[in-house]
Amino acid sequence: MVELEGVVERIAFRNEENFFTVVRLKVKDSGETVTAVGFFPSVSEGELIRIKGSWEIHEKHGYQLKVEGCETLIPATVREIENYLASGIIKGIGPVTARKIVEKFQEKALEVLDSKPELLLEIPGIGKKRLETIVSSFAEKKDIRNIMLFLQSHGVGASLAVKIYKAYGGQAVEVIKQNPYRLADEVYGIGFKTADKIARSLGIEAGAPERVAAGVLYALQQAAEEGHVFLPKAELLKRASSLLEVEEGLVEEVLPALGEKEEVVIDGSGEEREERIYSPAFYASEKSVARKLYLISGFGRMKPLDITEEEMAEIEERCNIKLAPKQKEALEKAASSGVLVITGGPGTGKTTLIKCLVEFFKMRGLKVALAAPTGRAAKRMAEATGMEASTIHRLLEYRASGGGGMFFGKNRGNPLDEDVVIIDETSMVDIVLMHHLLSALKPLARLILVGDKDQLPSVGPGSVLKDVIASDRIPVVMLDEIFRQARESMIVVNAHRVNKGLFPYLNVKGRDFYFEQATTPEETLERVVELVSRRLPDFGGFDPMEDIQVITPMKKTAVGVLSLNLRLQDRLNPPSPGKREISFRSVSYREGDRVMQIKNNYEKEVFNGDLGRIVRIDDDERVLVSFPDAEGERIVPYTGDELEELTLSYALSVHKSQGSEFPVVVMPLVVQHYVMLQRNLLYTAITRAKKLMVLVGSKQALTLAVRNSRALTRYSFLSERIKQEFEVEGWR
């Protein structure tokens, strides 16, 4: 770690959004000028600063100091004070006024500014109005300096300190002292553990009620990231006490207060420890979804439509197909129901059926909307039907709001105009998004949910599609016939075999499903890299950057997402003299890299799971990423800490691959992944491949995955709530 003191000679670049700054610093001792880059909430030319960091070599700018900490120093000598004031740092003071102030007050000039600013009225040219400007500007500089010093003294690095300052401004220190755990809720990039570290350094005890309460909320947040809508009370007590390293009794004591403040909802009756503990938004969403599904089912209100044999024949002619019995059943139920679920595996005709449904409702003069959870799924839907399709977010007219959030323009007060809404890939829809979708339907609108119930559930909380089917209160059509053309594909055949718990057919000559044996994780890694970079391009002419996607069960391990991304990046997009790159938290991002957005960013209009390519890194170190959309592509810029929203995407987790299809999928399977070797995970991965599927690893791992039908249970009460809503006389 290098430490330098010096005067800021010039600010070469500054991003006012995140305070990423490039400065030229004249070092105090040596007099040489160096380049320093980092996050500076407040820095001005002429300012005396002390910085800490490490040297790195930039391909264009050469040696520069990557700053990890910065402290503004108080000038000590009369000359330093005059230079400081003359630099323009303090509004209202220029070089002439600075000389007058220093001539009068000498080395006490800054002390006068701080504690007796009224004495400045003795300086010719400074009146009351100008004095107010000077005092306000000096106070602001002092606030920023004090905030940064306070944060850095409690172990907060420069980039996080910038985020905290931007969130709270001059109130940052006061907010943190009152309740440091607010940081985990309100500042993106700061989790409970960072907030807890600050809190403990401030002297907050392990069993303090505010710490325990924050730990409970964090445990619920972690559970939501695992897909749970709530936690049973006993489970929550166990998780929170382990996280906080306190007795369960202390955790139980804070629950009533959290309930009273409406920070959690305590739901359920009977045994106390069987109560369900929800975050309020998830509780409201689950209740709302159950109620609205009952209402739009239309009992006593919905006028059924009849579909005639002549209409069936016309639909078949328009769509150029012969409808199977289950597809005809789906059309009949769609005509007579307010809500319908259509589910089935690959090759069972779900997409064709959507096209037929659109034709039927258009024949009846009804307005239809098509939507899916992701842009890629919506694009496939549009291509298959020849009709416009959008993401659910766009359908509901999302809008960015302050603080990185968003709201929907379509809602209960301003519903959608469409008479029929058809959602594809419904297994990916979480409980909150389903709540917003149902809230935006107009009275008597029809809803058709299409998806594969056996795929992995949504990344967000809930198992909405499975729960709706399990309630046994909503009409469901299960498509189970694999059509002839689909039976030609071993990808489709083996997906269904795996789903039934049968071992897949391997290496059938001339087909599209292959298995390659590898005995160790290290050997598996090497074979995956060779397949992607050389063998598959040579074998089928596949472009490794456009056609081939590696999908893996886990994030870590030798053949996890992190390791594979680094190896594949090195092989497919190595550094070269003409290719710019930028380092961020130990990862190098370079021009040409495949990347994925990992956070919803409503202002940039990019969402968790969106895949793109880095097309350029410009002179200001902005990373420009191209994301495909309906019009072709859209360029989105990232600067500084915004890079935390990106990750390399040469390899994806199975969850992150949902909603996508790729010409070629390569998947490592090793016994070290045994925690994640589940049937529905393998099934989901196989269904992502269109032309070729290659498994690499051991048959033992493949066998474990096929046999393991115990998918991780998600805590959700939606199915029971739907049943409760339908508990009226004669609902069938």
Side-chain angles (χ1 to χ4, degrees):
M1 185 73 71
V2 178
E3 184 174 302
L4 298 175
E5 286 186 17
V7 175
V8 178
E9 280 194 336
R10 184 168 66 89
I11 296 175
F13 170 76
R14 182 165 176 80
N15 183 331
E16 292 298 339
E17 288 296 313
N18 61 9
F19 301 140
F20 180 78
T21 310
V22 179
V23 303
R24 295 287 289 165
L25 184 76
K26 187 171 184 179
V27 181
K28 190 175 181 180
D29 294 333
S30 66
E32 68 175 321
T33 300
V34 301
T35 299
V37 300
F39 299 91
F40 300 82
S42 174
V43 67
S44 304
E45 292 176 358
E47 199 161 20
L48 182 64
I49 61 175
R50 178 187 295 130
I51 56 177
K52 295 179 182 178
S54 54
W55 291 108
E56 63 177 18
I57 301 177
H58 188 279
E59 66 169 54
K60 181 177 179 181
H61 305 296
Y63 275 98
Q64 56 186 26
L65 192 70
K66 189 174 182 180
V67 176
E68 297 176 21
C70 175
E71 177 184 353
T72 302
L73 303 176
I74 303 297
T77 68
V78 170
R79 182 174 179 78
E80 285 176 347
I81 293 171
E82 182 178 341
N83 289 339
Y84 174 74
L85 295 176
S87 68
I89 288 172
I90 311 299
K91 291 178 183 176
I93 300 178
V96 175
T97 306
R99 187 176 305 112
K100 291 178 182 178
I101 292 172
V102 172
E103 284 175 355
K104 182 166 183 65
F105 300 111
Q106 295 294 306
E107 68 274 2
K108 294 190 184 231
L110 294 179
E111 185 182 329
V112 168
L113 271 168
D114 187 28
S115 57
K116 297 178 181 178
E118 66 276 4
L119 294 180
L120 293 177
L121 292 171
E122 300 174 11
I123 303 294
I126 297 181
K128 288 186 178 180
K129 190 171 182 180
R130 191 175 180 187
L131 178 63
E132 288 177 6
T133 301
I134 292 170
V135 170
S136 174
S137 178
F138 186 77
E140 182 184 355
K141 293 290 179 184
K142 183 180 177 183
D143 279 347
I144 296 173
R145 183 169 64 248
N146 290 341
I147 289 166
M148 297 302 288
L149 287 173
F150 173 82
L151 292 172
Q152 290 177 21
S153 70
H154 290 286
V156 180
S159 61
L160 286 182
V162 166
K163 289 186 174 185
I164 294 170
Y165 173 72
K166 288 200 74 174
Y168 304 114
Q171 303 299 310
V173 173
E174 183 181 345
V175 166
I176 293 168
K177 284 183 175 178
Q178 285 182 351
N179 182 7
Y181 295 103
R182 282 181 60 181
L183 299 174
D185 293 330
E186 299 171 0
V187 182
Y188 178 71
I190 296 183
F192 171 81
K193 292 181 179 178
T194 300
D196 192 41
K197 180 181 176 183
I198 296 170
R200 299 308 299 275
S201 73
L202 289 170
I204 293 178
E205 295 181 357
E210 63 267 36
R211 178 174 185 264
V212 178
V216 167
L217 298 178
Y218 179 64
L220 282 176
Q221 178 188 322
Q222 281 189 311
E225 290 174 1
E226 295 169 17
H228 302 300
V229 182
F230 69 89
L231 283 180
K233 184 176 180 180
E235 177 72 10
L236 176 60
L237 297 181
K238 178 182 174 183
R239 287 185 179 216
S241 66
S242 174
L243 168 73
L244 297 165
E245 298 181 340
V246 299
E247 296 295 325
E248 287 189 11
L250 285 174
V251 178
E252 195 164 10
E253 285 176 10
V254 305
L255 288 179
L258 285 171
E260 288 175 11
K261 291 191 290 183
E262 298 183 348
E263 293 187 66
V264 302
V265 174
I266 303 172
D267 181 56
S269 58
E271 289 292 325
E272 184 187 351
R273 289 174 74 85
E274 293 306 312
E275 292 173 328
R276 296 177 291 275
I277 314 299
Y278 287 83
S279 293
F282 298 158
Y283 177 75
S285 294
E286 192 175 78
K287 292 268 288 183
S288 170
V289 168
R291 182 63 182 163
K292 287 184 171 67
L293 282 173
Y294 169 74
L295 291 175
I296 63 176
S297 291
F299 289 101
R301 301 182 302 116
M302 175 69 68
K303 182 181 178 181
L305 301 174
D306 293 322
I307 182 166
T308 65
E309 287 296 326
E310 291 76 15
E311 285 176 316
M312 269 306 179
E314 186 175 347
I315 290 168
E316 288 180 324
E317 184 177 346
R318 288 188 182 188
C319 297
N320 192 30
I321 64 158
K322 179 68 176 173
L323 288 166
K326 282 289 183 76
Q327 290 176 317
K328 288 185 176 181
E329 179 189 344
L331 276 166
E332 290 166 352
K333 286 190 174 180
S336 61
S337 307
V339 185
L340 175 66
V341 173
I342 299 170
T343 185
T348 57
K350 295 191 300 295
T351 303
T352 300
L353 184 52
I354 291 173
K355 188 175 182 180
C356 294
L357 287 165
V358 170
E359 287 298 329
F360 168 68
F361 288 119
K362 283 169 122 180
M363 286 163 59
R364 290 305 183 95
L366 300 179
K367 192 173 181 181
V368 181
L370 303 182
T374 68
R376 299 186 300 279
K379 186 177 181 182
R380 289 204 319 274
M381 199 179 189
E383 289 169 351
T385 61
M387 179 179 167
E388 183 181 347
S390 70
T391 64
I392 299 173
H393 280 83
R394 288 190 186 278
L395 177 69
L396 300 182
E397 297 181 3
Y398 74 91
R399 299 284 186 273
S401 63
M406 65 97 200
F407 65 93
F408 289 113
K410 292 297 182 182
N411 49 46
R412 183 179 177 182
N414 181 32
L416 293 163
D417 186 45
E418 284 79 7
D419 304 296
V420 183
V421 175
I422 303 176
I423 304 297
D424 198 10
E425 296 281 5
T426 307
S427 62
M428 295 179 64
V429 180
D430 63 39
I431 191 69
V432 176
L433 186 56
M434 182 59 75
H435 155 65
H436 286 293
L437 173 65
L438 297 181
S439 298
L441 296 180
K442 70 180 182 180
L444 302 184
R446 297 168 186 269
L447 176 68
I448 300 173
L449 303 175
V450 183
D452 187 343
K453 67 179 178 61
D454 296 316
Q455 285 193 24
L456 289 174
S458 56
V459 174
S463 303
V464 175
L465 182 63
K466 283 185 178 179
D467 288 346
V468 171
I469 294 171
S471 73
D472 195 30
R473 299 297 186 268
I474 303 295
V476 177
V477 176
M478 294 194 181
L479 305 177
D480 50 16
E481 179 184 345
I482 305 175
F483 288 95
R484 182 180 57 79
Q485 60 269 35
R487 289 199 300 269
E488 299 298 314
S489 168
M490 277 294 134
I491 294 172
V492 173
V493 170
N494 281 335
H496 285 274
R497 286 184 64 81
V498 166
N499 199 30
K500 294 174 183 176
L502 301 174
F503 201 78
Y505 297 123
L506 303 179
N507 302 337
V508 178
K509 188 175 180 180
R511 305 302 277 275
D512 54 9
F513 195 103
Y514 292 91
F515 176 84
E516 180 148 331
Q517 182 80 28
T519 56
T520 66
E522 292 72 24
E523 183 186 0
T524 303
L525 174 63
E526 294 306 320
R527 289 188 179 234
V528 168
V529 173
E530 278 298 305
L531 277 163
V532 174
S533 62
R534 183 181 60 81
R535 291 171 57 195
L536 288 173
D538 290 348
F539 165 73
F542 297 112
D543 184 335
M545 294 292 280
E546 298 290 341
D547 300 330
I548 306 173
Q549 181 63 56
V550 176
I551 297 176
T552 184
M554 294 189 76
K555 188 174 181 180
K556 297 181 180 178
T557 76
V559 282
V561 172
L562 300 178
S563 173
L564 280 163
N565 267 320
L566 292 177
R567 285 296 307 278
L568 289 167
Q569 180 197 41
D570 184 60
R571 182 66 68 90
L572 301 178
N573 191 33
S576 66
K579 193 182 294 180
R580 290 186 174 183
E581 64 178 63
I582 187 170
S583 295
F584 182 78
R585 295 182 184 171
S586 76
V587 177
S588 292
Y589 293 95
R590 63 182 63 107
E591 292 173 338
D593 272 337
R594 291 164 57 171
V595 292
M596 178 175 63
Q597 176 80 10
I598 57 173
K599 173 184 181 281
N600 288 337
N601 188 318
Y602 302 103
E603 292 181 356
K604 292 181 183 291
E605 297 188 21
V606 285
F607 301 95
N608 189 354
D610 283 353
L611 297 172
R613 290 278 290 273
I614 296 176
V615 292
R616 192 168 77 256
I617 299 174
D618 64 20
D619 289 342
D620 295 333
E621 298 199 335
R622 291 191 313 160
V623 177
L624 304 177
V625 180
S626 171
F627 290 100
D629 64 12
E631 284 72 43
E633 68 172 35
R634 198 163 52 84
I635 305 299
V636 179
Y638 294 79
T639 58
D641 252 18
E642 291 175 344
L643 286 171
E644 70 189 355
E645 297 182 10
L646 291 178
T647 186
L648 296 174
S649 66
Y650 298 93
L652 301 175
S653 68
V654 182
H655 259 112
K656 290 293 188 183
S657 73
Q658 285 179 272
S660 299
E661 285 184 348
F662 308 98
V664 182
V665 169
V666 178
M667 183 181 189
L669 280 175
V670 296
V671 291
Q672 284 77 6
H673 288 166
Y674 70 93
V675 174
M676 296 298 291
L677 291 178
Q678 298 153 10
R679 186 183 299 169
N680 66 341
L681 184 139
L682 176 59
Y683 171 75
T684 300
I686 293 171
T687 58
R688 300 306 91 202
K690 290 172 65 178
K691 295 182 179 179
L692 183 64
M693 179 77 200
V694 184
L695 300 176
V696 184
S698 71
K699 289 187 178 178
Q700 180 187 2
L702 177 56
T703 303
L704 286 172
V706 172
R707 289 180 178 176
N708 183 9
S709 61
R710 299 186 306 276
L712 296 175
T713 302
R714 289 190 167 193
Y715 291 114
S716 165
F717 205 61
L718 178 61
S719 179
E720 293 302 316
R721 293 196 193 281
I722 295 172
K723 290 177 184 177
Q724 291 168 7
E725 291 291 344
F726 279 80
E727 281 179 358
V728 293
E729 189 68 27
W731 68 267
R732 285 191 183 275

